Amino acid sequence: MKKIVTLGLALFMMSGGHAVAQQSDAEKPKVYLVSDAHLDTQWNWDIQTTIKEYVWNTISQNLFLLEKYPNYVFNFEGGVKYSWMKEYYPKEYEELKKYIKEGRWHISGTSWDATDVLVPSIESGIRNILLGQEYFRNEFGVESTDIFLPDCFGFGWTLPTIASHCGLIGFSSQKLGWRVNPFHGDKKYPFTVGLWKGIDGSSIMMAHGFDYGKRWEIEDLSHNELLQKRMKECPLNVLYHYYGTGDIGGSPTLNSVDAVERSLKGDGPLQIISAASDRLYADYLPFDKHPELPVYDGELLMDVHGTGCYTSQAAMKLYNRQNELLGDASERSSVAADLLGVVDYPSQSLTESWRRFIFHQFHDDLTGTSIPRAYEL
């Protein structure tokens, strides 16, 4: 007993007379820092600009960061954008495959594109996931496990049901923080980390990501005051936080990646994790073993931001619905014709048709917020 007291006194004196609480990383609150480079397929520019400038910036800048920083993990969504990388930047595309295999370039979001999730049909939502997963399996030998929508105009009650039935485990966004009015009690989102129950009772994990364009200064983020403040919103002592760039693709800044790199062994009160977008969800599997996770059962809609878009560009919405109905009719008639031996099932042409119109369900495209050029016939 005397030795313990003496040791405690010695530590107290070594700290300059201030009591020091020694924490292991296992005891510290965990901050999952998730890099992103959200890229609008169309918005204030057209698809040609996206391919020529923003897709190039995304692949070239992140390959540089991945080579320079050994612990950098990059998260990027949208199968169609990977297909553009393959077509227009084949050399860099082959290089990124190495980092995907290492788990450092992480395939996020699962889908063919990060589409709006309110206007498209359920069939389109499932097709979007299937087309994305098929591409990722064929090209990279991996599958994604999450819905990754940093920027969207609201999230319907069907989304967790669709995701769960497609074998996905989590969903993240930062958009609900843009609400003007409280949504859940006095908050704009029900919680920062928890479970979201779908309309049929199936659940996925949900994380509020905060500020997809966040840039860090060169510092030890384990001491960062903003992260400590936001950690207080989550009684689970885990925080899911984006950093990077929004809308125009590209990458996080050098300072941001440098800060994360040096913070992984930081001596502050927070444990910093350079995280893939689905790592938090995987760390909580199986969810039924974590009764501490709060549960939300309902829709997660925006209030003012983006709501007017759902009545704009009505022709675009009409053509989208016609395509959905034609796609369904084509599938049914093709299956019948194949069974009757009249004609072989046209798998390749039907798949390509779905791909060509589903990426126009992107949240600035189908919703009607893009420039006029996006809606020219």
Side-chain angles (χ1 to χ4, degrees):
M1 180 68 179
K2 184 177 180 180
K3 289 182 179 179
I4 295 174
V5 172
T6 303
L7 178 59
L9 179 60
L11 288 172
F12 179 77
M13 296 305 294
M14 288 170 63
S15 68
H18 300 286
V20 176
Q22 299 293 329
Q23 281 184 298
S24 68
D25 280 348
E27 297 171 322
K28 292 180 180 179
K30 294 181 179 180
V31 180
Y32 294 76
L33 290 182
V34 178
S35 72
D36 78 283
H38 175 62
L39 174 53
D40 289 337
T41 307
Q42 291 194 118
W43 182 37
N44 287 331
W45 50 84
D46 56 19
I47 289 173
Q48 289 72 29
T49 302
T50 297
I51 294 171
K52 183 171 66 175
E53 297 183 26
Y54 302 143
V55 167
W56 166 250
N57 291 343
T58 302
I59 192 169
S60 61
Q61 291 175 15
N62 283 288
L63 287 176
F64 170 81
L65 291 171
L66 286 160
E67 183 176 353
K68 182 176 177 64
Y69 295 99
N71 296 297
Y72 177 54
V73 177
F74 177 59
N75 300 277
F76 191 63
E77 76 276 19
V80 68
K81 287 149 191 166
Y82 286 93
S83 73
W84 292 334
M85 290 178 183
K86 180 180 181 180
E87 181 175 358
Y88 291 93
Y89 310 110
K91 178 178 176 293
E92 290 76 15
Y93 183 79
E94 290 303 313
E95 189 177 349
L96 77 80
K97 287 183 177 180
K98 175 184 73 173
Y99 293 109
I100 291 174
K101 189 174 182 180
E102 293 174 0
R104 296 182 55 217
W105 182 306
H106 181 69
I107 305 294
S108 300
T110 306
S111 56
W112 184 236
D113 206 358
T115 69
D116 177 73
V117 291
L118 295 177
V119 177
S121 67
I122 301 301
E123 173 70 14
S124 287
I126 294 173
R127 288 272 179 177
N128 194 21
I129 291 171
L130 291 175
L131 290 171
Q133 294 286 52
E134 180 185 40
Y135 185 87
F136 300 141
R137 282 195 303 269
N138 291 341
E139 289 292 316
F140 311 126
V142 300
E143 289 188 357
S144 178
T145 66
D146 65 339
I147 299 291
F148 190 73
L149 293 173
D151 190 14
C152 216
F153 301 153
F155 312 98
W157 206 2
T158 56
L159 184 58
T161 291
I162 292 172
S164 178
H165 284 281
C166 288
L168 309 183
I169 59 174
F171 155 77
S172 71
S173 182
Q174 50 93 60
K175 199 68 175 188
L176 291 172
W178 294 29
R179 284 182 58 90
V180 174
N181 300 299
F183 171 74
H184 186 73
D186 60 348
K187 300 178 181 178
K188 296 179 180 180
Y189 36 85
F191 41 67
T192 56
V193 173
L195 296 177
W196 184 14
K197 184 180 290 188
I199 196 166
D200 69 341
S202 55
S203 297
I204 58 173
M205 200 164 179
M206 169 191 155
H208 176 71
F210 297 97
D211 194 359
Y212 65 174
K214 181 62 182 174
R215 298 181 175 192
W216 307 112
E217 297 300 326
I218 297 179
E219 60 177 301
D220 180 354
L221 295 171
S222 69
H223 293 273
N224 185 271
E225 292 183 1
L226 176 64
L227 292 176
Q228 292 185 64
K229 177 182 177 182
R230 288 177 171 168
M231 180 66 75
K232 292 178 182 177
E233 290 190 43
C234 187
L236 303 176
N237 273 343
V238 291
L239 179 65
Y240 187 102
H241 203 298
Y242 297 134
Y243 74 100
T245 176
D247 304 335
I248 60 171
S251 71
T253 62
L254 276 169
N255 284 359
S256 294
V257 180
D258 191 283
V260 174
E261 188 83 10
R262 69 178 60 215
S263 303
L264 299 179
K265 296 182 180 180
D267 60 0
L270 303 174
Q271 181 189 353
I272 302 299
I273 300 170
S274 179
S277 63
D278 61 353
R279 178 168 171 180
L280 170 67
Y281 320 134
D283 285 353
Y284 272 84
L285 287 174
F287 299 144
D288 58 9
K289 300 296 184 181
H290 292 277
E292 73 276 15
L293 288 170
V295 178
Y296 180 72
D297 188 355
E299 294 194 300
L300 294 169
L301 303 179
M302 298 295 290
D303 51 359
V304 175
H305 182 85
T307 52
C309 69
Y310 289 109
T311 58
S312 71
Q313 298 296 337
M316 176 68 174
K317 296 173 174 62
L318 172 64
Y319 299 145
N320 173 75
R321 186 58 184 148
Q322 288 177 341
N323 278 327
E324 290 177 331
L325 294 172
L326 286 169
D328 180 67
S330 298
E331 294 281 356
R332 293 171 186 268
S333 58
S334 295
V335 168
D338 186 60
L339 287 173
L340 293 171
V342 177
V343 66
D344 291 338
Y345 180 79
S347 176
Q348 185 173 346
S349 61
L350 284 175
T351 297
E352 183 59 27
S353 296
W354 278 101
R355 284 175 176 166
R356 287 175 66 85
F357 92 82
I358 274 185
F359 84 81
H360 283 293
Q361 293 180 342
F362 183 78
H363 71 80
D364 280 312
D365 196 332
L366 174 60
T367 55
T369 66
S370 295
I371 58 175
R373 177 171 167 76
Y375 306 105
E376 293 175 0
L377 295 177

